Structure formats: C-alpha cells, structure tokens
Amino acid sequence: MGDRILFDYTVLATLFSLVLVLLIVYFIVSAIRFFKRKSTTDEKLLQKLDELIKLQSQQSDQKSKHEKPVS
C-alpha cells in the first residue's frame, strides 16, 4: 500500500489562531483611532454649537430691546 502522507493540523490551527489574534488587534487599533477622531470632531461640533447658541441669544436680546412694550 505504501506510505501515507499525514497532514499535520496543528499548523493549520496555529495559523488560524494567529490570524484571529491579528484581526482582534487590528479591530482594537481601528476602534481606538475612530474614537480619537470622534472625540476631536465632537469637540469641534460642541464649540460651533456654543457659538450658534451665543449668536441666537444675542439676536433674541437685541429683538427684545427693540420691541416696544404693549400696554
């Protein structure tokens, strides 16, 4: 019958484990980068919203000063 060549599945399991670990590390690094970008863009958005609120309150104050009181 001859000699059979046996496939060693430990190499396949090791490669699968390595790929899985690398994917997990990649997703963690991607998540960290995303949240850093998100926090900076959120901070910029909050600053712009604060400016809009200030402008809106200034305009409403000016309108209330110019309106005549109704008696």
Side-chain angles (χ1 to χ4, degrees):
M1 279 193 67
D3 291 330
R4 287 181 151 188
I5 298 175
L6 296 176
F7 185 74
D8 191 11
Y9 287 102
T10 57
V11 173
L12 188 61
T14 304
L15 286 176
F16 179 75
S17 300
L18 183 62
V19 168
L20 187 63
V21 169
L22 289 176
L23 280 174
I24 290 171
V25 169
Y26 172 76
F27 285 125
I28 289 173
V29 169
S30 295
I32 290 171
R33 287 181 182 170
F34 169 76
F35 284 116
K36 281 184 180 180
R37 275 184 282 146
K38 184 181 180 318
S39 66
T40 56
T41 55
D42 285 349
E43 185 66 33
K44 290 177 184 178
L45 179 66
L46 287 173
Q47 288 175 354
K48 289 179 182 181
L49 285 173
D50 284 340
E51 290 176 18
L52 287 173
I53 291 170
K54 287 177 186 178
L55 287 173
Q56 182 67 28
S57 64
Q58 287 175 357
Q59 287 179 355
S60 64
D61 287 345
Q62 288 176 356
K63 284 183 180 179
S64 64
K65 287 180 182 178
H66 293 298
E67 288 179 357
K68 295 179 182 177
V70 178
S71 308

